[in-house]
Amino acid sequence: MNTKHEGPEFYATFLQDGKPVANGRTFNKGKAIEAIKYWIQNKTLEELYSQFGFIDEKKRQLEKLRSDINASNTQLLEIAQNEVSEENFSYYSLCFKDDNRSCEVSYYGYETNPRYIFNWDDSVIFETSGSDTKRLGSLVKKWVCNKATLSTLKMEFTGIDFGKLAEYYEQGRGIEGEFILSWDNIESFYREMNLDKKNEILQLIKEMRDKGFDSTLRAGQSLYTFILSRSRRHGLRENQDSVSFSFVSSNSAMEVQTQNGQYFIFDKIEYNNTIENILKTIELESID
């Protein structure tokens, strides 16, 4: 693997009939030039691969990984999706998917071992990384094909942090679990911030949670702004109903604004009837 990182990195795309067929990155300038010369001498892609390990390096590693996992877990050959694909700008991922479960495998940056990201209904449930292809391939099969329960996986695959979300999905409360965990994350975010108003903000969030809004609304943030919505995923689409709480103005303690144009200024950060009415209104929106 190309892991020596010194000086500039050279990126080359190799074209055939005007269309890109391979690419590669290397810190070795000489190897980059040599590969280009080799290609324009009308060498085949296979010949290029045999001489230069950095060409399509991640793609080839994932193809080898796919082959090894399939060989030990032939049940994966029958699933809906089992392939290496290019996501964007020479970033490749290996995806195993069947019904509502999937696992995406990819290399991040210059990490030696691939990351395995396990999804349920397109939501990330847990992830792990490692070099033990046989063990992780078995985990992929049991997750994707066998729809194994979390309790079963925990007993066999010790040392992996399966997180909290899978338990909600197993109980049929997946979206609720995503919402609740989003509030956990927002609390952690504000605890780590060096803000004079931190304690008041955390108390506001606590009171909202005590009212049960953490199971019906998604919590998020943009810079220091606290945002609530009925968004199925993180990130709001244009004009999606939401409410934002800003705490950084020098003229007020808290400013509250809804997507439909309501705007309120408060001299204290505290839960009140105005906020409750806004949240109850958004709560009636469909999850989208």
Side-chain angles (χ1 to χ4, degrees), residues 223-234:
L223 298 179
Y224 295 123
T225 301
F226 174 38
I227 302 173
L228 296 173
S229 72
R230 291 277 280 173
S231 178
R232 176 70 175 83
R233 309 289 182 195
H234 277 296

Side-chain angles (χ1 to χ4, degrees), residues 5-17:
H5 312 147
E6 295 180 357
E9 185 178 31
F10 299 90
Y11 176 80
T13 299
F14 301 84
L15 297 93
Q16 190 170 52
D17 298 326

Side-chain angles (χ1 to χ4, degrees), residues 197 248-255 265-267:
K197 304 173 182 178
V248 297
S249 173
S250 59
N251 299 318
S252 62
M254 177 174 67
E255 297 181 4
I265 297 176
F266 300 97
D267 57 10

Side-chain angles (χ1 to χ4, degrees), residues 140-154:
V140 171
K141 185 202 72 170
K142 291 179 179 181
W143 176 259
V144 176
C145 298
N146 301 345
K147 308 296 188 290
T149 63
L150 186 63
S151 56
T152 301
L153 295 176
K154 282 182 175 179

Side-chain angles (χ1 to χ4, degrees), residues 81-234:
Q81 186 175 354
N82 180 328
E83 63 182 354
V84 173
S85 58
E86 185 175 10
E87 302 296 327
N88 53 68
F89 195 61
S90 73
Y91 174 83
Y92 291 90
S93 67
L94 164 60
C95 182
F96 299 98
K97 184 173 184 178
D98 200 48
D99 297 327
N100 60 358
R101 294 212 195 182
S102 65
C103 177
E104 295 178 4
V105 189
S106 57
Y107 287 90
Y108 284 72
Y110 305 107
E111 292 179 351
T112 302
N113 295 322
R115 295 188 189 182
Y116 294 71
I117 300 176
F118 294 82
N119 303 280
W120 190 333
D121 194 21
D122 295 325
S123 293
V124 176
I125 304 299
F126 66 96
E127 68 175 86
T128 188
S129 178
S131 59
D132 191 341
T133 302
K134 185 175 181 180
R135 178 172 182 261
L136 292 172
S138 176
L139 176 57
V140 171
K141 185 202 72 170
K142 291 179 179 181
W143 176 259
V144 176
C145 298
N146 301 345
K147 308 296 188 290
T149 63
L150 186 63
S151 56
T152 301
L153 295 176
K154 282 182 175 179
M155 290 178 61
E156 182 175 355
F157 297 93
T158 57
I160 293 178
D161 181 3
F162 290 95
K164 301 177 181 178
L165 191 53
E167 295 180 5
Y168 286 100
Y169 269 87
E170 286 186 353
Q171 297 166 12
R173 301 164 56 210
I175 296 176
E176 180 184 348
E178 290 184 45
F179 286 174
I180 290 172
L181 293 179
S182 74
W183 286 75
D184 290 348
N185 292 334
I186 207 69
E187 282 190 329
S188 296
F189 170 78
Y190 281 111
R191 283 196 190 98
E192 295 171 1
M193 292 297 100
N194 185 24
L195 295 174
D196 294 336
K197 304 173 182 178
K198 176 167 63 175
N199 291 336
E200 291 94 327
I201 295 170
L202 290 172
Q203 179 60 31
L204 172 67
I205 292 172
K206 180 182 182 303
E207 291 187 47
M208 291 179 180
R209 300 195 76 167
D210 289 344
K211 295 284 186 178
F213 291 112
D214 60 347
S215 63
T216 59
L217 301 176
R218 178 179 289 279
Q221 45 80 215
S222 175
L223 298 179
Y224 295 123
T225 301
F226 174 38
I227 302 173
L228 296 173
S229 72
R230 291 277 280 173
S231 178
R232 176 70 175 83
R233 309 289 182 195
H234 277 296

